[in-house]
PDB file of all heavy atoms in Angstrom:
ATOM      1  N   LEU A 397      10.302  23.879  30.509  1.00 98.00           N
ATOM      2  CA  LEU A 397      10.512  23.989  29.061  1.00 98.00           C
ATOM      3  C   LEU A 397      11.382  25.113  28.730  1.00 98.00           C
ATOM      4  O   LEU A 397      12.114  25.184  27.665  1.00 98.00           O
ATOM      5  CB  LEU A 397       9.135  24.344  28.313  1.00 98.00           C
ATOM      6  CG  LEU A 397       8.168  23.233  28.126  1.00 98.00           C
ATOM      7  CD1 LEU A 397       6.909  23.736  27.251  1.00 98.00           C
ATOM      8  CD2 LEU A 397       8.813  22.008  27.421  1.00 98.00           C
ATOM      9  N   ALA A 398      11.404  26.167  29.553  1.00 98.00           N
ATOM     10  CA  ALA A 398      12.316  27.288  29.347  1.00 98.00           C
ATOM     11  C   ALA A 398      12.372  28.083  30.623  1.00 98.00           C
ATOM     12  O   ALA A 398      11.331  28.123  31.279  1.00 98.00           O
ATOM     13  CB  ALA A 398      11.892  28.121  28.193  1.00 98.00           C
ATOM     14  N   ALA A 399      13.507  28.693  30.968  1.00 97.00           N
ATOM     15  CA  ALA A 399      13.609  29.494  32.125  1.00 97.00           C
ATOM     16  C   ALA A 399      13.766  30.920  31.677  1.00 97.00           C
ATOM     17  O   ALA A 399      14.502  31.275  30.699  1.00 97.00           O
ATOM     18  CB  ALA A 399      14.835  29.073  32.898  1.00 97.00           C
ATOM     19  N   ASP A 400      13.128  31.823  32.418  1.00 97.00           N
ATOM     20  CA  ASP A 400      13.243  33.283  32.136  1.00 97.00           C
ATOM     21  C   ASP A 400      12.956  33.684  30.681  1.00 97.00           C
ATOM     22  O   ASP A 400      13.738  34.389  30.075  1.00 97.00           O
ATOM     23  CB  ASP A 400      14.598  33.829  32.677  1.00 97.00           C
ATOM     24  CG  ASP A 400      14.548  35.311  32.932  1.00 97.00           C
ATOM     25  OD1 ASP A 400      13.449  35.950  32.880  1.00 97.00           O
ATOM     26  OD2 ASP A 400      15.628  35.904  33.050  1.00 97.00           O
ATOM     27  N   HIS A 401      12.034  32.995  30.142  1.00 97.00           N
ATOM     28  CA  HIS A 401      11.804  33.119  28.616  1.00 97.00           C
ATOM     29  C   HIS A 401      10.788  34.321  28.404  1.00 97.00           C
ATOM     30  O   HIS A 401       9.765  34.353  28.910  1.00 97.00           O
ATOM     31  CB  HIS A 401      11.066  31.818  28.269  1.00 97.00           C
ATOM     32  CG  HIS A 401      11.111  31.664  26.712  1.00 97.00           C
ATOM     33  ND1 HIS A 401      12.191  31.094  26.071  1.00 97.00           N
ATOM     34  CD2 HIS A 401      10.160  31.914  25.784  1.00 97.00           C
ATOM     35  CE1 HIS A 401      11.836  31.056  24.806  1.00 97.00           C
ATOM     36  NE2 HIS A 401      10.670  31.503  24.618  1.00 97.00           N
ATOM     37  N   PRO A 402      11.266  35.152  27.411  1.00 97.00           N
ATOM     38  CA  PRO A 402      10.318  36.312  27.093  1.00 97.00           C
ATOM     39  C   PRO A 402       9.080  35.868  26.345  1.00 97.00           C
ATOM     40  O   PRO A 402       9.223  35.370  25.219  1.00 97.00           O
ATOM     41  CB  PRO A 402      11.192  37.165  26.221  1.00 97.00           C
ATOM     42  CG  PRO A 402      12.295  36.314  25.620  1.00 97.00           C
ATOM     43  CD  PRO A 402      12.456  35.129  26.616  1.00 97.00           C
ATOM     44  N   LEU A 403       7.982  36.125  26.970  1.00 98.00           N
ATOM     45  CA  LEU A 403       6.669  35.816  26.327  1.00 98.00           C
ATOM     46  C   LEU A 403       5.690  36.835  26.869  1.00 98.00           C
ATOM     47  O   LEU A 403       5.850  37.275  28.039  1.00 98.00           O
ATOM     48  CB  LEU A 403       6.089  34.454  26.700  1.00 98.00           C
ATOM     49  CG  LEU A 403       6.738  33.202  26.042  1.00 98.00           C
ATOM     50  CD1 LEU A 403       6.029  31.937  26.613  1.00 98.00           C
ATOM     51  CD2 LEU A 403       6.488  33.197  24.530  1.00 98.00           C
ATOM     52  N   PRO A 404       4.536  37.161  26.141  1.00 98.00           N
ATOM     53  CA  PRO A 404       3.514  37.897  26.756  1.00 98.00           C
ATOM     54  C   PRO A 404       3.113  37.215  28.091  1.00 98.00           C
ATOM     55  O   PRO A 404       3.091  35.964  28.025  1.00 98.00           O
ATOM     56  CB  PRO A 404       2.397  37.891  25.689  1.00 98.00           C
ATOM     57  CG  PRO A 404       3.068  37.541  24.446  1.00 98.00           C
ATOM     58  CD  PRO A 404       4.257  36.725  24.767  1.00 98.00           C
ATOM     59  N   ARG A 405       2.846  37.984  29.011  1.00 97.00           N
ATOM     60  CA  ARG A 405       2.577  37.341  30.338  1.00 97.00           C
ATOM     61  C   ARG A 405       1.451  36.414  30.321  1.00 97.00           C
ATOM     62  O   ARG A 405       0.313  36.664  30.026  1.00 97.00           O
ATOM     63  CB  ARG A 405       2.285  38.507  31.384  1.00 97.00           C
ATOM     64  CG  ARG A 405       2.463  38.031  32.768  1.00 97.00           C
ATOM     65  CD  ARG A 405       2.289  39.049  33.777  1.00 97.00           C
ATOM     66  NE  ARG A 405       2.522  38.606  35.146  1.00 97.00           N
ATOM     67  CZ  ARG A 405       3.586  38.837  35.892  1.00 97.00           C
ATOM     68  NH1 ARG A 405       4.459  39.723  35.578  1.00 97.00           N
ATOM     69  NH2 ARG A 405       3.712  38.309  37.068  1.00 97.00           N
ATOM     70  N   LEU A 406       1.745  35.177  30.733  1.00 98.00           N
ATOM     71  CA  LEU A 406       0.774  34.036  30.661  1.00 98.00           C
ATOM     72  C   LEU A 406      -0.148  34.112  31.872  1.00 98.00           C
ATOM     73  O   LEU A 406       0.111  34.562  32.957  1.00 98.00           O
ATOM     74  CB  LEU A 406       1.527  32.703  30.627  1.00 98.00           C
ATOM     75  CG  LEU A 406       2.244  32.452  29.418  1.00 98.00           C
ATOM     76  CD1 LEU A 406       3.300  31.393  29.614  1.00 98.00           C
ATOM     77  CD2 LEU A 406       1.334  32.098  28.236  1.00 98.00           C
ATOM     78  N   GLU A 407      -1.445  33.680  31.578  1.00 98.00           N
ATOM     79  CA  GLU A 407      -2.431  33.583  32.669  1.00 98.00           C
ATOM     80  C   GLU A 407      -2.984  32.083  32.681  1.00 98.00           C
ATOM     81  O   GLU A 407      -2.843  31.426  31.608  1.00 98.00           O
ATOM     82  CB  GLU A 407      -3.569  34.473  32.383  1.00 98.00           C
ATOM     83  CG  GLU A 407      -3.222  35.998  32.379  1.00 98.00           C
ATOM     84  CD  GLU A 407      -4.295  36.777  31.606  1.00 98.00           C
ATOM     85  OE1 GLU A 407      -5.294  37.218  32.290  1.00 98.00           O
ATOM     86  OE2 GLU A 407      -4.040  37.043  30.355  1.00 98.00           O
ATOM     87  N   ALA A 408      -3.578  31.762  33.829  1.00 98.00           N
ATOM     88  CA  ALA A 408      -4.193  30.464  33.905  1.00 98.00           C
ATOM     89  C   ALA A 408      -5.282  30.384  32.727  1.00 98.00           C
ATOM     90  O   ALA A 408      -5.977  31.302  32.483  1.00 98.00           O
ATOM     91  CB  ALA A 408      -4.841  30.239  35.231  1.00 98.00           C
ATOM     92  N   GLY A 409      -5.261  29.183  32.068  1.00 98.00           N
ATOM     93  CA  GLY A 409      -6.254  28.978  30.955  1.00 98.00           C
ATOM     94  C   GLY A 409      -5.692  29.324  29.616  1.00 98.00           C
ATOM     95  O   GLY A 409      -6.255  28.933  28.535  1.00 98.00           O
ATOM     96  N   ASP A 410      -4.558  29.984  29.600  1.00 98.00           N
ATOM     97  CA  ASP A 410      -3.816  30.222  28.350  1.00 98.00           C
ATOM     98  C   ASP A 410      -3.181  28.943  27.871  1.00 98.00           C
ATOM     99  O   ASP A 410      -3.324  27.901  28.500  1.00 98.00           O
ATOM    100  CB  ASP A 410      -2.649  31.338  28.513  1.00 98.00           C
ATOM    101  CG  ASP A 410      -3.271  32.715  28.637  1.00 98.00           C
ATOM    102  OD1 ASP A 410      -4.416  32.973  28.284  1.00 98.00           O
ATOM    103  OD2 ASP A 410      -2.472  33.588  29.037  1.00 98.00           O
TER     104      ASP A 410
END
Side-chain angles (χ1 to χ4, degrees):
L397 281 185
D400 199 12
H401 193 84
L403 281 178
R405 197 174 181 116
L406 291 162
E407 296 160 86
D410 283 347

